[in-house]
Amino acid sequence: MADEFSEPAVPRLASPSIHPSALVLPGAHVHGEVTIAEQAFVLFGAVIRAELDRISIGRQTNIQDNAVLHCDEGIPAVVGERVTVGHAAVVHGAIIGDRALIGIGAKALNRSVVGEGAWLAAGSVLAEGKTVPAWTLAVGVPAKPVRELTTDEVGRADQGVQHYLELAEAYRESFG
């Protein structure tokens, strides 16, 4: 039986690269081949662990409390710009497009794709290899696209990103 399994991946214990304008709050853990871009904000309890492949987090993205970002060998996790990854959400080897929203407790699994501006609703699970089209709401377990987002919803997502940018500045003053 041992022949059926490949050799375990060798951990890549590189040091994270965190832009000076990004903010990682106390209690968050960032390890391995992680890149965090300008004005990104990682909140308390988040775990971003990239010992098997790389994780990148785009400009002005917020990774909220207790979110987990991880990846498998050959399956990086890529989170675009101005993305919100909600409380206790999981992004595991997924690609998250710019301006997307990953709801509270939602999960995006290996090789899944959340398109530009799309929303993965709270508690939803996007199965391996599945895609949420751009500017679409996906809901459920397993998550399925249900409709296009409204102009109001897109605006609310943008306001949410702006709120977290302002919150980051307030925390920066506290943790200076």
Side-chain angles (χ1 to χ4, degrees), residues 98-157:
D98 293 345
R99 298 179 63 198
L101 184 146
I102 309 301
I104 295 170
K107 296 171 177 59
L109 304 179
N110 281 354
R111 296 188 176 93
S112 64
V113 176
V114 176
E116 179 182 5
W119 288 13
L120 181 60
S124 296
V125 178
L126 186 59
E128 291 191 17
K130 298 298 182 182
T131 297
V132 179
W135 308 106
T136 299
L137 171 64
V139 176
V141 180
K144 298 206 182 310
V146 294
R147 63 174 174 77
E148 289 184 10
L149 293 170
T150 66
T151 302
D152 181 58
E153 289 167 330
V154 171
R156 283 192 357 238

Side-chain angles (χ1 to χ4, degrees), residues 16-130:
S17 174
I18 302 171
H19 191 277
S21 68
L23 181 60
V24 178
L25 290 180
H29 297 274
V30 180
H31 301 283
E33 192 177 341
V34 177
T35 302
I36 301 177
E38 304 88 44
Q39 295 182 291
F41 185 28
V42 179
L43 285 100
F44 306 103
V47 175
I48 303 169
R49 189 166 59 90
E51 72 279 354
L52 300 175
D53 211 305
R54 67 186 170 82
I55 296 174
S56 63
I57 298 169
R59 183 181 64 82
Q60 297 185 335
T61 286
N62 63 88
I63 309 296
Q64 295 178 7
D65 314 73
N66 298 318
V68 174
L69 281 68
H70 191 240
C71 52
D72 287 333
E73 186 175 24
I75 310 171
V78 178
V79 180
E81 296 185 355
R82 295 184 60 82
V83 171
T84 293
V85 176
H87 312 292
V90 175
V91 174
H92 196 287
I95 297 179
I96 312 300
D98 293 345
R99 298 179 63 198
L101 184 146
I102 309 301
I104 295 170
K107 296 171 177 59
L109 304 179
N110 281 354
R111 296 188 176 93
S112 64
V113 176
V114 176
E116 179 182 5
W119 288 13
L120 181 60
S124 296
V125 178
L126 186 59
E128 291 191 17
K130 298 298 182 182

Side-chain angles (χ1 to χ4, degrees), residues 21 23 39 41 164-174:
S21 68
L23 181 60
Q39 295 182 291
F41 185 28
Y164 274 91
L165 288 170
E166 293 166 7
L167 189 59
E169 286 311 308
Y171 273 111
R172 187 178 311 281
E173 290 176 19
S174 293

